């Protein structure tokens, strides 16, 4: 399995994005966010998406260098149109607005519609936490035929619809960030590329039977579906994401208006809150430290906090390089060759 230094991978992705019209600043930022997802262990939301992003841009479904505009709301409430820009850019622009608004007014309620894929939502919670802000995001994903079945259902009706909450906590904020599907659909793709099975309980076939074979989504046969995580609870959260992320923002719920469209479209509702506006900041920080220490003392060294696995993986992958499956690396090399971008050497060769 090839391994690539994160700096080389970021430079490669930025160069590819520039080839399809992204300005150097945007290309560098989108590339950094994609590689950060790999660094943090979420390969589903990393560079395996690049060939698709490039195609979406070439097909006119992504607008490079888009600046978000406020479509609705006033004061601390803002619904923003992403003009189908790169989500890693539109998401950061709107989060920056929300942080500044929360600093001034205590809270910001945000919506984003009409944006391409926002990627790893934890990036925006980290952005808010770095500014000392609490954040909460509900996102719906509308791209092609819906892939997640409702609890008790037989076929896909919703997106993988992530929920994300960030709590500032010094250098190591709590970042709870997960898809409401049993696993992220990108992880099904990563397993498919790697020829692996997914954990039991994640997939159903087109007949509604349980399966661990990622081919039920990515194979040539009739399409199955992902189940929700946590039975009725994950299903309920996914439905709320459709309503807050899709209906409330005006971005739209599943199914997409044009199921043949290849773009990944997200709608996001959220808020950013300055904890200092809710009471004593030192008392809040002490309580956060206290409860985190208390839960970890249950089995010290074994109990992690949300955000810890990502920090650990990022540390390791920064030192050792980012492992990519052969299909992902092959697709990247093919895209680079087509666009005339030089490919960096790998730390460990491809098979
Ligand atoms: P996951 O199942 O790996 O869960 C990740 C979360 O659980 C993180 O907050 C992590 O810190 C925490 N966690 C993991 N192990 C832990 C442990 N032992 N103790 C404490 N906390 C632990 O995530 P996922 O559902 O596969 O989602 C992956 C990513 O996909 C997320 O970043 C999400 O935002 C992204 N996503 C994006 C979209 C989109 O449309 N943009 C859709 C779905 C998912």
């Amino acid at each position: 399995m090839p391994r690539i230094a994160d700096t080389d991978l970021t430079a490669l992705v930025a160069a590819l994005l520039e080839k399809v019209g992204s300005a150097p600043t945007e290309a560098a930022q989108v590339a950094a966010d994609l590689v950060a997802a790999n660094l943090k262990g979420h390969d589903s939301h990393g560079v395996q998406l690049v060939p698709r992003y490039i195609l979406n841009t070439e097909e006119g479904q992504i607008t490079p260098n888009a600046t978000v505009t406020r479509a609705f709301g006033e004061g601390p409430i803002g619904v923003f149109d992403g003009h189908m820009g790169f989500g890693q850019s539109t998401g950061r622009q709107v989060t920056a607005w929300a942080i500044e608004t929360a600093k001034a007014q205590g809270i910001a309620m945000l919506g984003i519609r009409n944006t391409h894929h926002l990627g790893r939502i934890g990036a925006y919670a980290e952005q808010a936490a770095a500014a000392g802000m609490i954040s909460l995001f509900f996102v719906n994903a509308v791209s092609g035929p819906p892939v997640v079945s409702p609890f008790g259902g037989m076929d896909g009706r919703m997106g993988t619809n992530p929920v994300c909450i960030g709590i500032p906590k010094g250098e190591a904020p709590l970042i709870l960030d997960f898809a409401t599907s049993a696993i992220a659909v990108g992880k099904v793709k990563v397993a498919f590329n790697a020829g692996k099975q997914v954990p039991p309980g994640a997939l159903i076939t087109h007949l509604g039977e349980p399966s661990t074979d990622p081919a039920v989504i990515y194979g040539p046969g009739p399409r199955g579906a992902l189940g929700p995580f946590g039975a009725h609870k994950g299903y309920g959260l996914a439905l709320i994401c459709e309503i807050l992320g899709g209906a409330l923002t005006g971005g739209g719920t599943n199914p997409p208006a044009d199921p043949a469209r290849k773009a990944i479209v997200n709608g996001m509702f959220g808020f950013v809150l300055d904890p200092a506006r809710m009471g004593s900041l030192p008392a809040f920080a002490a309580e956060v430290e206290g409860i985190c220490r208390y839960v970890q003392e249950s089995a010290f060294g074994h109990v992690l906090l949300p955000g810890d696995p990502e920090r650990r993986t990022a540390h390791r992958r920064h030192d050792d390089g980012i492992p990519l499956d052969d299909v992902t690396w092959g697709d990247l090399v093919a895209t680079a060759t087509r666009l005339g971008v030089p490919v960096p050497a790998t730390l460990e060769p491809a098979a």
Side-chain angles (χ1 to χ4, degrees):
M1 185 180 272
R3 275 187 298 114
I4 299 99
D6 56 342
T7 44
D8 288 347
L9 196 54
T10 307
L12 170 64
V13 172
L16 291 172
L17 295 171
E18 283 191 46
K19 282 279 179 186
V20 291
S22 208
T25 321
E26 178 183 85
Q29 188 242 304
V30 174
D33 276 345
L34 285 167
V35 173
N38 288 105
L39 272 174
K40 288 166 194 262
H42 293 292
D43 295 330
S44 53
H45 288 71
V47 299
Q48 67 110 357
L49 291 162
V50 170
R52 186 168 178 185
Y53 282 17
I54 297 284
L55 278 179
N56 285 170
T57 311
E58 291 171 328
E59 289 161 353
Q61 299 185 26
I62 293 180
T63 315
N65 313 311
T67 302
V68 301
T69 54
R70 196 165 178 159
F72 207 83
E74 54 188 31
I77 300 177
V79 179
F80 291 86
D81 191 316
H83 301 288
M84 284 310 290
F86 283 104
Q88 288 82 356
S89 169
T90 60
R92 289 212 176 265
Q93 291 175 50
V94 174
T95 306
W97 167 84
I99 290 167
E100 289 313 308
T101 302
K103 277 182 187 165
Q105 304 187 53
I107 191 167
M109 307 287 284
L110 65 93
I112 313 183
R113 62 194 190 198
N114 202 23
T115 181
H116 194 257
H117 192 221
L118 289 160
R120 181 181 157 264
I121 307 304
Y124 314 114
E126 287 164 359
Q127 186 181 349
M133 301 288 160
I134 293 172
S135 61
L136 188 150
F137 303 100
F138 293 92
V139 178
N140 82 325
V142 181
S143 49
V147 72
V148 179
S149 69
F151 180 61
M154 292 281 289
D155 58 4
R157 298 285 158 144
M158 301 176 296
T160 51
N161 296 2
V163 171
C164 177
I165 299 168
I167 308 285
K169 183 176 169 292
E171 294 295 303
L174 303 179
I175 305 291
L176 181 62
D177 172 31
F178 54 81
T180 48
S181 47
I183 59 174
V185 71
K187 286 184 176 155
V188 183
K189 180 77 188 304
V190 169
F192 182 71
N193 285 350
K196 293 182 178 162
Q197 299 288 295
V198 302
L203 294 169
I204 54 172
T205 68
H206 69 290
L207 299 173
E209 291 159 349
S211 174
T212 57
D213 184 357
V216 305
I217 303 289
Y218 288 105
R223 197 168 189 247
L226 270 163
F229 89 93
H232 57 288
K233 303 180 192 186
Y235 153 59
L237 273 178
L239 182 61
I240 295 300
C241 285
E242 290 289 343
I243 291 165
L244 295 181
L248 189 61
T249 63
T253 58
N254 274 291
D258 175 7
R261 195 159 88 147
K262 301 268 187 326
I264 314 169
V265 182
N266 279 142
M268 179 154 96
F269 165 82
F271 65 77
V272 171
L273 168 73
D274 182 355
R277 304 296 188 107
M278 294 285 291
S280 157
L281 195 53
F284 172 68
E287 285 284 355
V288 171
E289 287 295 337
I291 183 61
C292 288
R293 193 169 49 248
Y294 183 60
V295 298
Q296 290 200 285
E297 280 169 1
S298 166
F300 206 78
H302 295 277
V303 178
L304 302 179
L305 297 172
D308 283 346
E310 285 76 13
R311 279 184 284 272
R312 287 183 178 190
T313 307
H315 210 83
R316 197 176 60 245
R317 288 186 167 190
H318 174 67
D319 289 347
D320 298 347
I322 293 174
L324 296 177
D325 66 77
D326 291 324
V327 174
T328 296
W329 181 239
D331 288 349
L332 271 177
V333 170
T335 303
T337 306
R338 180 169 70 79
L339 296 180
V341 170
V343 176
T346 60
L347 300 172
E348 196 169 295

